[in-house]
Amino acid sequence: MTSPLKKIVATQVVAGMYVRKIEGNWLDHPFWRGSFLVEPGETLVTLRALGQQGVWIDTSKGLDLASGPVTPSAAPVIETTPEPSPERSDFGDDYAAAEAIRERAKGVAKSLFGEARMGKALSMDAAAEVVDEINEVIARNPAAMLSVVRLKNKDDYTYLHSVAVAALMIALGKRLGYEGEALKEFGVAGLLHDIGKVGISDAVLNKPGRLSPLELATVRQHPQVGWDILSRESAAGPMALDVALHHHEKTDGTGYPHRLSGDALSEVARMGAICDVYDAITSERCYKPGWEPAEAIRRMAEWQEGHFDRRIFHVFVKLIGIYPTGTLVRLASQRLAVVLVQGNGSALNPIVRLICTLPERARLEPETLDLEDSDDRIVAIEDPAHWDLDVPALLRA
Ligand SMILES: [Fe+2]
Ligand SMILES: [Fe+2]
């Protein structure tokens, strides 16, 4: 009897096959389940973008390779429902607008924290207004807003982290199918999630290395302190209270302060946990450099069991992409490019803007290239500092 397991290459995969294993490392294939039935749509498109990578199929559980050579062109055309993407020429305008809103929002966050520190009522109107602005840019161009909040200076961390979590919550909520007022509530919840940190001294907040048991206990009080502050604000709303109190809970019940798990943990608290961790680990702090988004997503995927809600995390990964906006990449053609937006196909093939040739660094016309429709592909992530490049300036252009 012949084995039902057969090795083919990724471009030969069709809907209806049962995949047992994909060869290569995690970053090359963003599939978490060990084995699965291939359905038409996005998964199939992403899978086939792996090109000549080996894929083991189980022919006892799904379709076998059709007799005769299967070429990519012989395979069915896959219809996907693309996210509306902005006109490419507008990207620079949206990026500049997003930068201005980030600065305004940072100012509002600073005032809110100042008010909380002094025990004053919070300017909830200002919070709602700036969340509206963030929401508008995200409706037009989520990639622009998410890329500007990623770049933060370590001194402004607390305020910009609040703005970043607000933007991530709105963009994630939108991907989960929410609209209108719900998105604004997610945004306010993100902006205020760490307001309880006003109870922690800067020396403890910025301390490199391990916290003493007493310091750790103080840090772990910030969700409750935040809830106390927000419970005095009638305009804060239930979502903001929930996220402030429960953004450090984990799905397996090992988080704090209430060790919640299962149904006790609301969807918005699960969203908050993911957005908070992602922004914290991709940010540079006084005591650590930030991780690249791709590295952060990879580590979070390792931790997801028990820490994050699996379904929401998968939606989050689709939102951020494997190569988020602003990532500097080297192409197989030995050209340097910056990622502009996620394309409508594979997460491995975003839309990029060309910068220069390597290693000569001959300047290229800033042409926009959709890697999904190109023979070229990303072979490495590059460090902007190494090439002395100002990524925001490249995106603003
Ligand atoms: Fe927190
Ligand atoms: Fe946080």
Side-chain angles (χ1 to χ4, degrees), residues 157-158 161-162 165 190 193-194 197 222 247-248 272 275-277 279-280:
Y157 173 74
T158 304
H161 170 65
S162 305
V165 175
H193 79 283
D194 269 340
K197 282 195 175 169
H222 82 273
H247 66 277
H248 287 288
C275 298
D276 178 49
V277 168
D279 187 68

Side-chain angles (χ1 to χ4, degrees), residues 27 30 42 45-47 49 317-318 320-324 339 341-351 371-372 378:
L27 260 188
E42 205 158 10
V45 175
T46 312
L47 194 52
V317 174
K318 291 297 301 175
I320 299 296
I322 303 295
Y323 304 108
V339 176
V341 285
Q342 302 305 301
N344 290 324
S346 160
L348 301 168
N349 292 324
I351 295 166
L371 292 175
E372 190 70 11
I378 294 172

Side-chain angles (χ1 to χ4, degrees), residues 37-93:
L37 184 69
V38 181
E39 285 169 2
E42 205 158 10
T43 307
L44 178 54
V45 175
T46 312
L47 194 52
R48 293 194 24 208
L50 299 175
Q52 296 305 300
Q53 207 152 315
V55 175
W56 287 86
I57 56 166
D58 185 338
T59 57
S60 69
K61 294 188 148 191
L63 291 181
D64 195 354
L65 197 58
S67 50
V70 176
T71 62
S73 57
V77 175
I78 308 304
E79 292 289 335
T80 55
T81 43
E83 268 269 299
S85 51
E87 286 295 317
R88 307 288 164 242
S89 57
D90 290 345
F91 191 88
D93 291 346

Side-chain angles (χ1 to χ4, degrees), residues 258-274:
H258 295 140
R259 303 177 72 92
L260 296 185
S261 64
D263 291 345
L265 209 51
S266 68
E267 185 181 44
V268 73
R270 291 162 193 255
M271 289 165 63
I274 293 170

